[in-house]
Amino acid sequence: ILPIRLWGLLHHLWESTGLNRWLPDWRRDWGFVRNTLERTAQHTWINQQELSKILYIPRPFSPAAKQSIEAQWQAFVAPLQAHHRGSSEVRCGFILGVVRTLDPHAKGFLLRLAHHGQPILLPSTLATNLATNSRRGWASLTSGTDSPKTSSVVAMLRVECSRNGLMVAADCVLMRTTRHLIPSNNHMEDQVAKSLVEGGHEFIRPLPYSQVQGDLPAFVMREHDASGLRITEMFCLHDSKNPYQHEARVRRHAEQARQMANQAEHLAK
C-alpha cells in the first residue's frame, strides 16, 4: 500500500471541485461543499479503492435526517471496528470536515467536527507535528486570535479505530480557510478575499499541494471586458517582508509571463 500525502489529496479535492474558485453571486455552505466533494471522490482512487467508499464527510445535521446520518456513520466505521488497532490487519479510512472544537486530552487532543458528534483523538506526537506541518491551521485553532465569523479550519484525517471504538487520527492536515472555505494563510488574505467576494469579482486561489505557497500568488483575479480576459496576480506581503525578495519574485513572474507569451506566439504561427 502506497503512503498518501494528505496535503496533496486535500488540495486535489478542493481544486477538482472548484472550491478554490469564486464567481460573482456565488453562495457556499457546507451542504454544497459536501455534495461537490463527494462527487469528486467518486472519481478519485486511493490504492485501487474508490475514495468515496473510504471517505466520510459529515452531512449537515437535521432531526429528520438523524437516522440516515447515523446509518452512514456506522457503515463507515464498521470495517474499521472489525480491523481495529492491535488486530492482525488494521484498516483505515478518511474523514474530512470543518473543525468545531479542539480540546486537551490525556493522550493529546480531542478534535470535533461541525455537524458531527463523535470526537477524534489526535495523539500527542501527531499534534506536535501539526504545529509544524499544518502550522497555520493549528495556530488558528490554538492561538485564540481567529474568529469563526472570518475564518475556518478544514481537517483531512486518516483514521483508525481503537479497541474501545474511539477514532484515532494516524495522520492529519489542517487547512486554514476564509468563512467561504477558500484557502487563506492569514488575516490579510482573509480581508483581500472578503473584498473580492463583496466586490463581485471572479478569482482563483492557486493551491501548491503542500502547506507552503512558495512563489504562487495569493489570488488570481479574472476580469472580462471588451478586449477579452484580463488576469491580475495578487500577492499579500507583510511589511516585514524583505523588499529584495519581493522584487526578485516580480522579476521571476515577469520572465515567466514573457516565456508564456513567446510560446503562445510560436504556436499561433
Side-chain angles (χ1 to χ4, degrees), residues 108-172:
F109 290 84
L110 283 182
L111 181 148
R112 290 179 172 83
L113 299 176
H115 309 290
H116 186 61
Q118 302 298 323
I120 303 167
L121 175 64
L122 297 180
S124 298
T125 53
L126 179 56
T128 300
N129 290 337
L130 286 172
T132 300
N133 298 324
S134 289
R135 61 182 182 275
R136 297 182 183 94
W138 183 258
S140 181
L141 294 174
T142 58
S143 66
T145 58
D146 281 352
S147 167
K149 294 182 179 180
T150 59
S151 64
S152 298
V153 175
V154 173
M156 182 79 186
L157 305 110
R158 179 169 62 84
V159 298
E160 299 168 350
C161 188
S162 68
R163 290 180 182 272
N164 62 7
L166 178 65
M167 289 292 110
V168 180
D171 196 6
C172 175

Side-chain angles (χ1 to χ4, degrees), residues 2-268:
L2 297 175
I4 302 300
R5 292 182 63 253
L6 291 187
W7 270 119
L9 179 59
L10 178 57
H11 279 182
H12 163 74
L13 291 172
W14 232 250
E15 189 170 56
S16 297
T17 54
L19 292 173
N20 66 323
R21 300 177 61 236
W22 191 266
L23 291 175
D25 300 323
W26 268 13
R27 298 290 184 270
R28 185 175 292 180
D29 59 20
W30 184 246
F32 169 82
V33 169
R34 179 182 183 272
N35 289 338
T36 56
L37 287 170
E38 286 203 327
R39 286 197 296 270
T40 298
Q42 293 172 1
H43 304 284
T44 303
W45 293 76
I46 301 294
N47 289 319
Q48 299 182 341
Q49 287 183 290
E50 184 183 308
L51 178 59
S52 63
K53 306 295 185 184
I54 52 175
L55 172 66
Y56 183 81
I57 306 175
R59 178 176 163 189
F61 180 81
S62 69
K66 181 178 179 180
Q67 289 186 343
S68 175
I69 291 172
E70 290 178 350
Q72 290 175 343
W73 174 247
Q74 289 304 317
F76 171 78
V77 301
L80 307 186
Q81 291 172 334
H83 300 272
H84 58 76
R85 286 188 162 192
S87 62
S88 58
E89 180 190 350
V90 180
R91 291 190 183 179
C92 68
F94 297 91
I95 299 178
L96 194 165
V98 174
V99 178
R100 177 163 51 95
T101 61
L102 182 70
D103 300 310
H105 183 270
K107 295 183 178 180
F109 290 84
L110 283 182
L111 181 148
R112 290 179 172 83
L113 299 176
H115 309 290
H116 186 61
Q118 302 298 323
I120 303 167
L121 175 64
L122 297 180
S124 298
T125 53
L126 179 56
T128 300
N129 290 337
L130 286 172
T132 300
N133 298 324
S134 289
R135 61 182 182 275
R136 297 182 183 94
W138 183 258
S140 181
L141 294 174
T142 58
S143 66
T145 58
D146 281 352
S147 167
K149 294 182 179 180
T150 59
S151 64
S152 298
V153 175
V154 173
M156 182 79 186
L157 305 110
R158 179 169 62 84
V159 298
E160 299 168 350
C161 188
S162 68
R163 290 180 182 272
N164 62 7
L166 178 65
M167 289 292 110
V168 180
D171 196 6
C172 175
V173 293
L174 301 170
M175 181 175 70
R176 189 185 183 282
T177 74
T178 69
R179 68 183 184 88
H180 292 101
L181 297 174
I182 299 165
S184 170
N185 287 341
N186 50 55
H187 294 293
M188 185 189 301
E189 293 184 0
D190 293 346
Q191 291 301 314
V192 173
K194 181 174 182 289
S195 297
L196 290 171
V197 169
E198 292 179 350
H201 296 288
E202 176 186 349
F203 66 94
I204 298 172
R205 166 62 178 221
L207 296 177
Y209 285 56
S210 70
Q211 74 156 339
V212 181
Q213 193 71 8
D215 285 336
L216 291 174
F219 304 102
V220 177
M221 186 167 63
R222 295 164 54 89
E223 299 173 285
H224 302 267
D225 56 27
S227 61
L229 174 63
R230 182 170 59 190
I231 294 177
T232 304
E233 294 186 344
M234 308 178 72
F235 295 86
C236 297
L237 302 175
H238 292 282
D239 292 339
S240 60
K241 192 76 174 180
N242 186 325
Y244 298 105
Q245 292 179 348
H246 173 55
E247 291 174 8
R249 174 181 289 177
V250 170
R251 287 196 297 271
R252 283 197 301 272
H253 279 274
E255 179 60 27
Q256 291 172 1
R258 282 193 293 269
Q259 292 175 358
M260 292 175 65
N262 291 336
Q263 292 173 359
E265 183 178 356
H266 176 72
L267 291 173

